[in-house]
Coordinates of all heavy atoms in Angstrom, one line a residue:
M28 N 18.6 -10.9 40.7 CA 17.8 -10.4 39.6 C 18.4 -11.0 38.3 O 19.5 -11.1 38.1 CB 18.1 -8.8 39.5 CG 16.7 -8.1 39.1 SD 17.1 -6.5 39.0 CE 15.5 -5.8 39.4
T29 N 17.4 -11.5 37.6 CA 17.8 -12.1 36.3 C 17.4 -11.2 35.1 O 16.4 -10.4 35.2 CB 17.1 -13.4 36.1 OG1 15.7 -13.3 36.1 CG2 17.5 -14.5 37.1
S30 N 18.0 -11.3 34.1 CA 17.6 -10.5 32.9 C 17.6 -11.4 31.6 O 18.7 -11.9 31.3 CB 18.5 -9.3 32.7 OG 19.9 -9.7 32.5
A31 N 16.5 -11.6 31.1 CA 16.4 -12.4 29.9 C 17.0 -11.5 28.7 O 16.8 -10.4 28.7 CB 15.0 -12.8 29.5
S32 N 17.7 -12.2 27.9 CA 18.5 -11.4 26.8 C 17.5 -10.7 25.9 O 17.9 -9.7 25.5 CB 19.4 -12.3 26.1 OG 18.6 -13.4 25.5
N33 N 16.4 -11.2 25.8 CA 15.5 -10.7 24.8 C 14.5 -9.7 25.4 O 13.7 -9.0 24.7 CB 14.7 -11.7 24.1 CG 15.4 -12.3 22.9 OD1 16.3 -11.6 22.4 ND2 15.1 -13.4 22.4
A34 N 14.4 -9.6 26.8 CA 13.4 -8.7 27.4 C 13.7 -7.3 27.1 O 14.8 -6.8 27.2 CB 13.5 -9.0 29.0
G35 N 12.6 -6.7 26.5 CA 12.7 -5.3 26.2 C 13.4 -5.0 25.0 O 13.5 -3.8 24.5
A36 N 14.0 -6.0 24.3 CA 14.7 -5.7 23.1 C 13.7 -5.5 22.0 O 12.6 -6.1 21.9 CB 15.6 -6.9 22.7
I37 N 14.0 -4.6 21.1 CA 13.2 -4.3 20.1 C 13.7 -5.0 18.8 O 14.8 -4.7 18.4 CB 13.0 -2.7 19.8 CG1 12.4 -2.1 21.0 CG2 12.2 -2.4 18.5 CD1 12.6 -0.6 20.9
I38 N 12.9 -5.9 18.3 CA 13.3 -6.7 17.1 C 12.3 -6.2 16.0 O 11.2 -6.4 16.0 CB 13.1 -8.1 17.3 CG1 14.0 -8.6 18.4 CG2 13.6 -8.9 16.0 CD1 13.7 -10.0 18.9
P39 N 13.0 -5.4 15.1 CA 12.1 -4.9 14.0 C 11.5 -5.9 13.1 O 12.2 -6.9 12.7 CB 13.0 -4.0 13.3 CG 14.4 -4.4 13.6 CD 14.3 -5.1 15.0
L40 N 10.3 -5.7 12.7 CA 9.6 -6.6 11.8 C 9.5 -5.9 10.4 O 9.0 -4.7 10.3 CB 8.2 -6.9 12.3 CG 7.3 -7.7 11.4 CD1 7.8 -9.1 11.5 CD2 5.8 -7.8 12.0
Y41 N 10.1 -6.5 9.5 CA 10.1 -5.9 8.2 C 9.3 -6.8 7.2 O 9.2 -7.9 7.3 CB 11.6 -5.9 7.6 CG 12.4 -4.9 8.4 CD1 13.5 -5.3 9.1 CD2 12.2 -3.5 8.4 CE1 14.3 -4.4 9.8 CE2 13.0 -2.6 9.0 CZ 14.0 -3.1 9.8 OH 14.8 -2.2 10.5
D42 N 8.8 -6.0 6.1 CA 8.3 -6.8 5.1 C 9.3 -6.9 3.9 O 10.0 -6.1 3.6 CB 7.1 -5.8 4.4 CG 5.9 -5.8 5.3 OD1 5.6 -6.8 5.9 OD2 5.3 -4.7 5.5
F43 N 9.3 -8.2 3.5 CA 10.3 -8.5 2.4 C 9.6 -9.1 1.2 O 8.5 -9.6 1.3 CB 11.3 -9.5 2.9 CG 12.3 -8.9 3.9 CD1 12.0 -9.1 5.3 CD2 13.4 -8.4 3.6 CE1 12.9 -8.6 6.2 CE2 14.3 -7.8 4.5 CZ 14.1 -7.9 5.8
S44 N 10.2 -8.9 0.1 CA 9.8 -9.6 -1.1 C 11.0 -10.3 -1.6 O 12.1 -9.8 -1.7 CB 9.0 -8.8 -2.0 OG 10.0 -8.0 -2.7
C45 N 10.8 -11.6 -2.1 CA 11.9 -12.4 -2.6 C 12.2 -12.1 -4.0 O 11.2 -12.2 -4.8 CB 11.7 -13.8 -2.3 SG 12.9 -14.9 -3.0
K46 N 13.4 -11.8 -4.3 CA 13.7 -11.6 -5.7 C 13.7 -12.9 -6.5 O 13.6 -12.9 -7.7 CB 15.0 -10.9 -5.9 CG 15.0 -9.5 -5.5 CD 16.4 -8.9 -5.6 CE 16.6 -7.5 -4.8 NZ 17.9 -7.1 -4.7
G47 N 13.9 -14.0 -5.8 CA 14.0 -15.2 -6.5 C 12.7 -15.8 -7.0 O 12.5 -16.2 -8.1
C48 N 11.8 -15.9 -5.9 CA 10.5 -16.5 -6.3 C 9.3 -15.5 -6.1 O 8.2 -15.9 -6.4 CB 10.3 -17.8 -5.3 SG 10.0 -17.3 -3.6
G49 N 9.5 -14.3 -5.6 CA 8.6 -13.4 -5.6 C 7.6 -13.5 -4.4 O 6.7 -12.7 -4.2
A50 N 8.0 -14.3 -3.4 CA 7.3 -14.5 -2.2 C 7.3 -13.2 -1.4 O 8.3 -12.6 -1.3 CB 7.7 -15.7 -1.4
A51 N 6.2 -12.9 -0.8 CA 6.2 -11.7 0.1 C 6.0 -12.2 1.5 O 5.1 -13.1 1.8 CB 5.2 -10.7 -0.3
F52 N 6.8 -11.8 2.4 CA 6.7 -12.2 3.8 C 7.2 -11.2 4.8 O 7.9 -10.3 4.4 CB 7.4 -13.5 4.0 CG 8.9 -13.4 3.7 CD1 9.8 -13.3 4.8 CD2 9.4 -13.5 2.4 CE1 11.1 -13.2 4.5 CE2 10.7 -13.3 2.2 CZ 11.6 -13.2 3.2
E53 N 6.9 -11.4 6.0 CA 7.4 -10.5 7.1 C 8.4 -11.4 7.9 O 8.3 -12.5 8.1 CB 6.3 -10.1 8.1 CG 5.3 -9.2 7.5 CD 4.2 -8.8 8.5 OE1 3.9 -9.7 9.4 OE2 3.7 -7.7 8.4
A54 N 9.4 -10.7 8.3 CA 10.5 -11.3 9.0 C 11.0 -10.4 10.2 O 11.1 -9.2 9.9 CB 11.6 -11.7 8.1
L55 N 11.2 -11.0 11.3 CA 11.9 -10.3 12.4 C 13.4 -10.4 12.0 O 14.0 -11.4 11.8 CB 11.6 -11.0 13.7 CG 10.2 -11.1 14.2 CD1 10.0 -12.0 15.3 CD2 9.7 -9.6 14.6
V56 N 14.0 -9.2 12.1 CA 15.4 -9.1 11.8 C 16.2 -8.7 13.0 O 16.1 -7.5 13.4 CB 15.7 -8.1 10.6 CG1 17.2 -8.2 10.2 CG2 14.8 -8.5 9.4
R57 N 16.8 -9.6 13.6 CA 17.6 -9.3 14.8 C 19.0 -8.7 14.2 O 19.5 -9.1 13.1 CB 18.0 -10.6 15.6 CG 16.9 -11.1 16.3 CD 17.2 -12.5 16.7 NE 15.9 -13.4 16.7 CZ 15.2 -13.6 17.8 NH1 15.7 -13.0 19.0 NH2 14.1 -14.3 17.8
P58 N 19.5 -7.8 15.0 CA 20.8 -7.2 14.5 C 21.8 -8.3 14.2 O 22.0 -9.3 15.0 CB 21.3 -6.4 15.8 CG 20.0 -6.1 16.5 CD 19.1 -7.3 16.2
G59 N 22.5 -8.3 13.2 CA 23.5 -9.2 12.8 C 23.0 -10.5 12.1 O 23.8 -11.4 11.8
T60 N 21.7 -10.5 11.8 CA 21.2 -11.7 11.1 C 20.5 -11.2 9.8 O 20.1 -10.0 9.6 CB 20.1 -12.4 11.9 OG1 18.9 -11.6 12.1 CG2 20.6 -12.8 13.3
R61 N 20.5 -12.2 8.9 CA 19.8 -11.8 7.7 C 18.7 -12.8 7.4 O 19.1 -14.0 7.5 CB 20.8 -11.9 6.5 CG 21.5 -10.6 6.3 CD 22.5 -10.6 5.1 NE 21.9 -10.8 3.8 CZ 22.5 -11.1 2.7 NH1 23.8 -11.4 2.7 NH2 21.9 -11.2 1.6
P62 N 17.5 -12.5 7.1 CA 16.5 -13.4 6.8 C 16.7 -14.1 5.5 O 17.4 -13.6 4.6 CB 15.2 -12.5 6.9 CG 15.7 -11.2 6.4 CD 17.1 -11.0 6.9
S63 N 16.1 -15.2 5.4 CA 16.1 -15.8 4.0 C 14.6 -16.2 3.7 O 13.8 -16.3 4.6 CB 16.9 -17.2 4.1 OG 16.5 -18.0 5.1
C64 N 14.4 -16.3 2.4 CA 13.0 -16.6 2.0 C 12.5 -17.9 2.5 O 13.1 -19.0 2.4 CB 13.0 -16.6 0.5 SG 11.4 -17.0 -0.2
P65 N 11.3 -17.8 3.1 CA 10.7 -19.0 3.7 C 10.3 -20.0 2.6 O 10.0 -21.2 2.9 CB 9.6 -18.5 4.6 CG 9.2 -17.2 4.0 CD 10.5 -16.6 3.4
S66 N 10.1 -19.5 1.4 CA 9.6 -20.3 0.4 C 10.7 -20.9 -0.4 O 10.5 -22.1 -0.7 CB 8.8 -19.3 -0.5 OG 8.2 -20.0 -1.6
C67 N 11.7 -20.3 -0.7 CA 12.8 -20.8 -1.5 C 14.1 -20.8 -0.8 O 15.1 -21.4 -1.3 CB 12.9 -20.2 -2.9 SG 13.6 -18.6 -2.9
G68 N 14.2 -20.1 0.3 CA 15.5 -20.1 1.1 C 16.4 -19.2 0.5 O 17.6 -19.1 1.0
G69 N 16.0 -18.4 -0.5 CA 17.0 -17.4 -1.1 C 17.3 -16.3 -0.3 O 16.5 -16.0 0.6
K70 N 18.4 -15.6 -0.5 CA 18.8 -14.5 0.3 C 18.7 -13.2 -0.5 O 19.0 -12.2 0.0 CB 20.3 -14.7 0.7 CG 20.5 -15.8 1.7 CD 20.4 -15.3 3.0 CE 20.8 -16.5 4.0 NZ 20.6 -16.1 5.5
G71 N 18.2 -13.3 -1.7 CA 18.0 -12.2 -2.5 C 16.7 -11.5 -2.2 O 15.7 -11.7 -2.8
L72 N 16.7 -10.7 -1.1 CA 15.4 -10.2 -0.6 C 15.4 -8.7 -0.8 O 16.4 -8.0 -0.7 CB 15.2 -10.5 0.9 CG 15.4 -12.0 1.1 CD1 15.3 -12.1 2.7 CD2 14.3 -12.8 0.5
E73 N 14.3 -8.1 -1.0 CA 14.1 -6.7 -1.1 C 13.2 -6.3 0.1 O 12.1 -6.8 0.2 CB 13.4 -6.4 -2.4 CG 13.7 -5.0 -3.0 CD 13.5 -5.0 -4.5 OE1 12.3 -4.7 -4.8 OE2 14.4 -5.3 -5.3
R74 N 13.7 -5.4 0.8 CA 12.9 -4.9 1.9 C 11.9 -3.9 1.5 O 12.2 -3.0 0.7 CB 13.8 -4.2 3.0 CG 13.1 -4.0 4.3 CD 13.9 -3.1 5.2 NE 15.2 -3.8 5.7 CZ 16.0 -3.2 6.5 NH1 15.9 -1.9 6.8 NH2 17.1 -3.8 6.9
Q75 N 10.6 -4.1 2.0 CA 9.5 -3.2 1.5 C 9.4 -2.1 2.6 O 9.3 -2.4 3.8 CB 8.3 -3.9 1.4 CG 8.4 -5.2 0.5 CD 8.6 -4.8 -0.9 OE1 7.7 -4.0 -1.5 NE2 9.6 -5.2 -1.6
F76 N 9.5 -0.9 2.3 CA 9.3 0.1 3.2 C 7.8 0.5 3.3 O 7.3 0.9 2.2 CB 10.1 1.3 2.8 CG 11.6 1.1 3.1 CD1 12.5 0.7 2.1 CD2 12.2 1.2 4.4 CE1 13.8 0.5 2.3 CE2 13.5 0.9 4.6 CZ 14.3 0.6 3.5
S77 N 7.2 0.5 4.4 CA 5.9 1.0 4.5 C 5.9 2.4 4.8 O 6.9 3.0 5.4 CB 5.1 0.3 5.6 OG 6.0 0.2 6.8
L78 N 5.0 3.1 4.2 CA 5.0 4.6 4.3 C 4.7 5.0 5.7 O 3.8 4.4 6.3 CB 3.9 5.2 3.4 CG 4.2 5.0 1.9 CD1 3.0 5.4 1.1 CD2 5.4 5.8 1.5
P79 N 5.4 6.0 6.3 CA 5.1 6.5 7.6 C 3.7 7.1 7.7 O 3.2 7.6 6.7 CB 6.2 7.5 7.8 CG 6.6 7.9 6.5 CD 6.4 6.8 5.6
T80 N 3.1 6.9 8.8 CA 1.8 7.5 9.1 C 2.0 9.0 9.1 O 2.8 9.5 10.0 CB 1.1 7.0 10.3 OG1 1.4 5.5 10.4 CG2 -0.3 7.3 10.3
V81 N 1.3 9.7 8.3 CA 1.4 11.2 8.3 C 0.2 11.8 9.0 O -1.0 11.5 8.7 CB 1.4 11.7 7.0 CG1 1.6 13.1 6.9 CG2 2.7 11.0 6.2
H82 N 0.4 12.7 10.0 CA -0.6 13.3 10.7 C -0.8 14.7 10.3 O -1.7 15.4 10.8 CB -0.4 13.2 12.2 CG -0.4 11.8 12.7 ND1 -1.5 11.1 12.9 CD2 0.6 11.0 13.1 CE1 -1.3 9.9 13.3 NE2 0.1 9.8 13.5
S83 N 0.0 15.2 9.4 CA 0.0 16.6 9.0 C -1.3 17.0 8.3 O -1.9 16.2 7.5 CB 1.2 16.9 8.1 OG 0.8 17.8 7.1
T84 N -1.9 18.1 8.8 CA -3.2 18.4 8.2 C -3.1 18.8 6.7 O -3.9 18.5 5.9 CB -3.7 19.7 9.0 OG1 -3.4 19.6 10.3 CG2 -5.2 19.8 8.8
G85 N -2.0 19.5 6.4 CA -1.8 19.8 5.1 C -1.8 18.7 4.1 O -2.5 18.7 3.1
T86 N -1.1 17.6 4.5 CA -1.1 16.4 3.6 C -2.5 15.7 3.6 O -2.9 15.3 2.6 CB -0.1 15.4 4.3 OG1 1.1 16.1 4.4 CG2 0.1 14.2 3.3
H87 N -3.1 15.8 4.7 CA -4.5 15.2 4.8 C -5.4 15.9 3.8 O -6.2 15.4 3.1 CB -5.0 15.3 6.2 CG -6.3 14.6 6.4 ND1 -6.5 13.3 6.2 CD2 -7.5 15.2 6.7 CE1 -7.8 13.1 6.4 NE2 -8.4 14.1 6.7
E88 N -5.4 17.3 3.9 CA -6.2 18.1 3.0 C -5.9 17.8 1.6 O -6.7 17.7 0.7 CB -6.0 19.5 3.3 CG -6.9 20.1 4.4 CD -6.6 21.4 4.8 OE1 -5.9 22.2 4.1 OE2 -7.1 21.9 5.9
K89 N -4.5 17.6 1.2 CA -4.2 17.3 -0.1 C -4.7 16.0 -0.5 O -5.2 15.9 -1.6 CB -2.6 17.4 -0.2 CG -2.1 18.0 -1.4 CD -0.6 17.9 -1.5 CE 0.1 19.1 -0.9 NZ 1.5 19.0 -0.8
A90 N -4.7 15.1 0.4 CA -5.2 13.7 0.0 C -6.7 13.8 -0.2 O -7.3 13.2 -1.1 CB -4.9 12.8 1.2
L91 N -7.3 14.6 0.6 CA -8.8 14.7 0.5 C -9.1 15.4 -0.9 O -10.0 14.9 -1.5 CB -9.3 15.7 1.6 CG -9.8 14.9 2.9 CD1 -10.4 16.0 3.8 CD2 -10.9 13.9 2.5
K92 N -8.4 16.5 -1.2 CA -8.6 17.1 -2.5 C -8.4 16.1 -3.6 O -9.2 16.1 -4.6 CB -7.6 18.3 -2.6 CG -8.3 19.6 -2.7 CD -7.4 20.7 -2.8 CE -7.7 21.7 -1.6 NZ -6.6 22.8 -1.6
A93 N -7.3 15.3 -3.6 CA -7.0 14.4 -4.6 C -8.2 13.4 -4.7 O -8.6 13.0 -5.8 CB -5.7 13.7 -4.3
A94 N -8.7 13.0 -3.6 CA -9.8 12.0 -3.6 C -11.0 12.5 -4.2 O -11.7 11.9 -5.0 CB -10.0 11.5 -2.2
K95 N -11.2 13.8 -3.9 CA -12.4 14.5 -4.5 C -12.3 14.6 -5.9 O -13.3 14.4 -6.7 CB -12.6 15.9 -3.8 CG -13.6 15.8 -2.7 CD -13.8 17.3 -2.2 CE -14.3 17.3 -0.7 NZ -14.0 18.5 0.0
K96 N -11.1 15.0 -6.4 CA -10.9 15.1 -7.8 C -11.1 13.8 -8.5 O -11.7 13.7 -9.5 CB -9.4 15.6 -8.0 CG -9.3 16.4 -9.3 CD -7.8 16.7 -9.5 CE -7.5 18.1 -9.1 NZ -6.0 18.5 -9.3
R97 N -10.6 12.7 -7.8 CA -10.7 11.4 -8.5 C -12.2 11.0 -8.5 O -12.7 10.5 -9.5 CB -10.0 10.3 -7.5 CG -9.8 9.0 -8.3 CD -9.4 8.0 -7.2 NE -10.3 8.0 -6.1 CZ -9.9 7.8 -4.8 NH1 -8.7 7.7 -4.5 NH2 -10.8 7.9 -3.8
D98 N -13.0 11.3 -7.4 CA -14.4 11.0 -7.4 C -15.1 11.7 -8.5 O -16.1 11.2 -9.1 CB -14.9 11.3 -6.0 CG -14.5 10.3 -5.0 OD1 -13.9 9.3 -5.3 OD2 -14.7 10.6 -3.8
A99 N -14.8 13.0 -8.7 CA -15.4 13.7 -9.6 C -15.2 13.2 -11.0 O -16.1 13.2 -11.8 CB -14.9 15.2 -9.6
R100 N -14.0 12.8 -11.3 CA -13.7 12.2 -12.5 C -14.4 11.0 -12.8 O -15.0 10.7 -13.9 CB -12.2 12.0 -12.7 CG -11.7 11.8 -14.1 CD -10.2 12.0 -14.2 NE -9.5 11.1 -13.3 CZ -8.4 11.5 -12.6 NH1 -8.1 12.7 -12.6 NH2 -7.9 10.7 -11.8
Q101 N -14.5 10.1 -11.8 CA -15.3 8.8 -11.9 C -16.7 9.2 -12.1 O -17.4 8.5 -12.9 CB -15.1 8.0 -10.7 CG -13.7 7.3 -10.7 CD -13.5 6.6 -9.3 OE1 -14.2 6.7 -8.4 NE2 -12.4 5.9 -9.3
A102 N -17.2 10.1 -11.5 CA -18.6 10.6 -11.6 C -18.8 11.0 -13.1 O -19.9 10.7 -13.6 CB -19.1 11.6 -10.6
D103 N -17.9 11.8 -13.5 CA -18.0 12.3 -14.9 C -18.0 11.2 -15.9 O -18.9 11.1 -16.8 CB -16.8 13.2 -15.2 CG -17.0 14.0 -16.5 OD1 -18.0 14.6 -16.6 OD2 -16.1 14.0 -17.3
Q104 N -17.2 10.1 -15.6 CA -17.1 9.0 -16.5 C -18.5 8.2 -16.5 O -18.9 7.8 -17.5 CB -16.0 8.1 -16.2 CG -14.7 8.6 -16.8 CD -13.5 7.9 -16.2 OE1 -13.6 7.1 -15.3 NE2 -12.3 8.3 -16.6
R105 N -19.0 8.1 -15.4 CA -20.3 7.4 -15.2 C -21.4 8.1 -15.9 O -22.2 7.5 -16.6 CB -20.6 7.3 -13.6 CG -20.2 6.0 -13.1 CD -20.8 5.6 -11.8 NE -20.7 6.7 -10.8 CZ -19.7 6.8 -9.9 NH1 -18.8 6.0 -10.0 NH2 -19.6 7.8 -9.1
N106 N -21.5 9.5 -15.8 CA -22.4 10.3 -16.4 C -22.3 10.1 -17.9 O -23.4 10.0 -18.6 CB -22.3 11.8 -16.0 CG -22.8 12.0 -14.6 OD1 -23.4 11.2 -14.1 ND2 -22.3 13.1 -14.0
R107 N -21.1 10.1 -18.4 CA -20.9 10.1 -19.8 C -21.4 8.7 -20.4 O -22.1 8.6 -21.4 CB -19.4 10.3 -20.2 CG -19.3 10.5 -21.7 CD -18.0 11.3 -21.9 NE -16.9 10.8 -21.1 CZ -15.9 11.5 -20.6 NH1 -15.9 12.9 -20.8 NH2 -15.0 11.1 -19.9
A108 N -21.1 7.7 -19.6 CA -21.5 6.4 -20.0 C -23.0 6.3 -20.0 O -23.6 5.6 -20.9 CB -20.9 5.3 -19.0
Q109 N -23.6 6.9 -18.9 CA -25.1 6.8 -18.9 C -25.7 7.5 -20.0 O -26.7 7.0 -20.6 CB -25.5 7.5 -17.6 CG -27.0 7.5 -17.3 CD -27.5 6.1 -17.1 OE1 -26.8 5.2 -16.6 NE2 -28.8 6.0 -17.3
R110 N -25.1 8.7 -20.4 CA -25.7 9.5 -21.6 C -25.5 8.7 -22.8 O -26.5 8.6 -23.7 CB -24.9 10.8 -21.7 CG -25.5 11.9 -20.8 CD -25.1 13.3 -21.3 NE -23.6 13.4 -21.3 CZ -23.0 13.8 -20.2 NH1 -23.5 14.1 -19.1 NH2 -21.6 14.0 -20.2
E111 N -24.4 8.0 -23.1 CA -24.2 7.2 -24.2 C -25.2 6.1 -24.2 O -25.8 5.7 -25.3 CB -22.7 6.7 -24.2 CG -21.8 7.6 -24.8 CD -20.3 7.2 -24.6 OE1 -20.1 6.0 -24.5 OE2 -19.5 8.1 -24.7
Y112 N -25.4 5.5 -23.2 CA -26.4 4.4 -23.0 C -27.8 4.8 -23.4 O -28.5 4.2 -24.3 CB -26.4 3.8 -21.6 CG -27.4 2.7 -21.4 CD1 -27.0 1.4 -21.7 CD2 -28.7 3.0 -20.9 CE1 -27.9 0.4 -21.5 CE2 -29.6 2.0 -20.7 CZ -29.2 0.7 -21.0 OH -30.1 -0.3 -20.8
E113 N -28.2 6.0 -22.8 CA -29.5 6.5 -23.2 C -29.6 7.0 -24.6 O -30.6 6.8 -25.2 CB -29.7 7.7 -22.3 CG -30.1 7.3 -20.9 CD -30.1 8.4 -19.8 OE1 -29.9 9.5 -20.3 OE2 -30.4 8.2 -18.7
A114 N -28.5 7.5 -25.2 CA -28.5 7.9 -26.6 C -28.8 6.7 -27.5 O -29.5 6.8 -28.5 CB -27.2 8.6 -27.0
K115 N -28.2 5.6 -27.1 CA -28.3 4.4 -28.0 C -29.7 3.7 -27.8 O -30.1 3.0 -28.7 CB -27.2 3.4 -27.5 CG -25.9 3.7 -28.2 CD -24.8 2.6 -27.8 CE -23.4 3.2 -28.1 NZ -22.4 2.6 -27.2
H116 N -30.2 3.9 -26.6 CA -31.5 3.3 -26.4 C -32.7 4.2 -26.4 O -33.6 4.0 -25.7 CB -31.4 2.5 -25.0 CG -30.5 1.4 -25.0 ND1 -29.1 1.6 -24.9 CD2 -30.6 0.1 -25.2 CE1 -28.5 0.4 -24.9 NE2 -29.4 -0.5 -25.1
D117 N -32.5 5.3 -27.2 CA -33.6 6.3 -27.2 C -34.6 5.9 -28.4 O -34.4 6.3 -29.4 CB -32.9 7.7 -27.5 CG -34.0 8.7 -27.5 OD1 -35.0 8.5 -26.7 OD2 -33.7 9.8 -28.0
D118 N -35.6 5.2 -28.0 CA -36.6 4.8 -29.0 C -38.0 5.1 -28.6 O -38.5 6.1 -28.5 CB -36.5 3.4 -29.4 CG -36.4 2.4 -28.3 OD1 -36.8 2.9 -27.1 OD2 -36.1 1.3 -28.4
Ligands
ZN208 ZN1 11.9 -17.0 -2.5

């Protein structure tokens, strides 16, 4: 039986942004290694954390409510713009 060293290993893929040149890239980070910027070779990298997927109903409802509030505000702004337009062009 043979076992390839990488078989079944989980190599995490991270999002990075380079502090040196601002490049954003993804890199596989094996334990004990540090990625460098593919663009400038710099090591000053910032790891970007992606938000975890949330399945909680409460959070979902909150997000929906926030979206509705935002939509309402946008609609209000549109209505106001429309009224202003009509007021100016009322002849
Ligand atoms: Zn860079």
Side-chain angles (χ1 to χ4, degrees):
M28 216 185 215
T29 59
S30 63
S32 59
N33 275 340
I37 297 167
I38 302 167
L40 181 68
Y41 292 114
D42 289 318
F43 289 96
S44 69
C45 176
K46 288 180 197 168
C48 70
F52 60 97
E53 289 182 332
L55 295 168
V56 184
R57 292 163 210 267
T60 67
R61 274 179 69 192
S63 56
C64 174
S66 180
C67 72
K70 293 271 188 185
L72 306 175
E73 209 159 87
R74 194 191 289 178
Q75 309 290 302
F76 289 97
S77 42
L78 293 171
T80 314
V81 180
H82 295 286
S83 145
T84 324
T86 306
H87 184 63
E88 272 171 14
K89 221 182 268 176
L91 269 182
K92 244 179 233 172
K95 261 184 203 160
K96 211 186 258 182
R97 190 196 55 217
D98 286 350
R100 196 161 55 227
Q101 281 172 354
D103 192 50
Q104 278 166 1
R105 265 198 303 274
N106 286 340
R107 195 154 42 212
Q109 180 68 26
R110 275 198 299 276
E111 276 170 22
Y112 178 86
E113 283 169 359
K115 276 178 200 155
H116 293 79
D117 186 24
D118 52 13

